[in-house]
Amino acid sequence: MILLLGGTAEARELAAALAGEARVVSSLAGRVSAPRLPEGEVRIGGFGGPDGLARWLAEHGVQAVVDATHPFAERIGASAVIAARQAGVPLLRLQRPGWRQTDGDDWHWADTLDDAAEKVRTLGERVFLTSGRQGLAAFAGCTGQWFLARCVDPPEPPLPPRIEILLDRGPYSPASEAALLRAHRIDLLVTKDSGGTMTSAKLTAARERGIPVVVVRRPPRPGAPAVADVDAALAWVRDRLAG
Ligand code: NAP
């Protein structure tokens, strides 16, 4: 059996590509109320840290693990490295490349969400926040700005005092993103460097409208062999199944 740590478009693509070829169990954290489900078997919920995950790998006779979680899902990434080592199971990290600044972009890199909140104070007044529900607390102290925050599920306090919540999930188009920026008179965008195409339309729209963007850098991920696309992960899994 292959364990696929998911919650991303790439994980769903890999699960679909492996359907009928191997027994794949996709694992989701259970954070969103109605997750997009991958093809095939799915389990939902944490494993109970690295030890719990190592036990799960041993008990289920897992042949290989692919960590295809989001670039900002630090804890499960660290857990996978420790657990795979403990259980003696090969591990691959599938991580999409980060976004690149191009001509016309006005990007301001932030090391963390707190750092992004500091930058917001001087860069804009009407801010489109796309850093996710769990990232909103970092902006709670920004009292001088108005925020439009887009997330999949309703957020919980603490939140900035002046905020409108937009419940939605990608993919989005540059035209719809531009319309959103215009309708709310947005003058600053905040995003994590998630990478990929599902949510990149906002960057195109910001560039076209000359709006600066605060981009939160990816956290470091612990060492594991890594690939950047689904085809390479598929080849790696097939090698493990053949061996
Ligand atoms: P996290 O901080 O790394 O994980 C927190 C805990 O949630 C982990 O310690 C683990 O619990 C559990 N967990 C996380 N991913 C899991 C998975 N795929 N299967 C089973 N348990 C999982 O992660 P997060 O940032 O909260 O993200 C949660 C999930 O949402 C991830 O799977 C990620 O791919 C997806 N996601 C995250 C973001 C983001 O911006 N962070 C964006 C889009 C999608 P135990 O320690 O108990 O095993």
Side-chain angles (χ1 to χ4, degrees):
M1 182 217 283
I2 306 295
L3 176 65
L4 179 45
L5 299 170
T8 57
E10 290 78 7
R12 289 189 293 276
E13 276 175 44
L14 184 57
L18 284 165
E21 197 174 321
R23 182 170 174 217
V24 175
V25 173
S26 293
S27 176
L28 303 179
R31 285 289 154 78
V32 295
S33 53
R36 285 198 175 99
L37 291 175
E39 236 178 89
E41 284 180 63
V42 177
R43 66 161 298 286
I44 297 183
F47 295 93
D51 292 343
L53 179 53
R55 263 196 309 278
W56 200 97
L57 297 179
E59 281 168 13
H60 291 81
V62 172
Q63 291 162 271
V65 180
V66 179
D67 170 12
T69 57
H70 190 270
F72 282 79
E74 280 180 87
R75 278 189 289 161
I76 189 68
S79 204
V81 169
I82 298 167
R85 197 182 307 131
Q86 261 181 41
V89 174
L91 166 70
L92 181 74
R93 168 85 183 127
L94 166 56
Q95 176 157 291
R96 62 180 91 134
W99 286 318
R100 293 256 179 89
Q101 197 165 349
T102 61
D103 283 353
D105 282 330
D106 177 15
W107 287 11
H108 303 256
W109 287 93
D111 289 332
T112 59
L113 284 167
D114 289 339
D115 186 19
E118 273 311 306
K119 291 191 160 50
V120 159
R121 289 169 202 272
T122 56
L123 285 170
E125 287 175 359
R126 296 184 62 84
V127 186
F128 184 25
L129 262 185
T130 62
S131 52
R133 179 171 54 129
Q134 295 171 78
L136 299 185
F139 300 87
C142 295
T143 51
Q145 282 74 24
W146 176 87
F147 290 94
L148 174 68
R150 183 168 63 195
C151 29
V152 176
D153 281 323
E156 282 169 16
L159 298 173
R162 297 195 297 137
I163 189 165
E164 182 177 325
I165 306 294
L166 177 60
L167 297 181
D168 202 357
R169 66 167 113 197
Y172 308 100
S173 73
S176 67
E177 295 291 59
L180 193 68
L181 298 181
R182 202 168 41 241
H184 293 276
R185 291 179 288 115
I186 297 297
D187 61 12
L188 180 65
L189 167 67
V190 178
T191 180
K192 294 173 177 172
D193 179 17
S194 297
T197 54
M198 287 265 289
T199 59
S200 60
K202 62 192 170 191
L203 299 170
T204 310
R207 184 185 314 125
E208 283 167 5
R209 296 185 61 75
I211 292 173
V213 185
V214 175
V215 186
V216 182
R217 260 182 240 289
R218 294 175 168 195
R221 300 283 290 221
V227 294
D229 59 55
V230 173
D231 284 347
L234 194 55
W236 183 88
V237 170
R238 286 182 175 146
D239 278 355
R240 303 283 96 54
L241 291 169

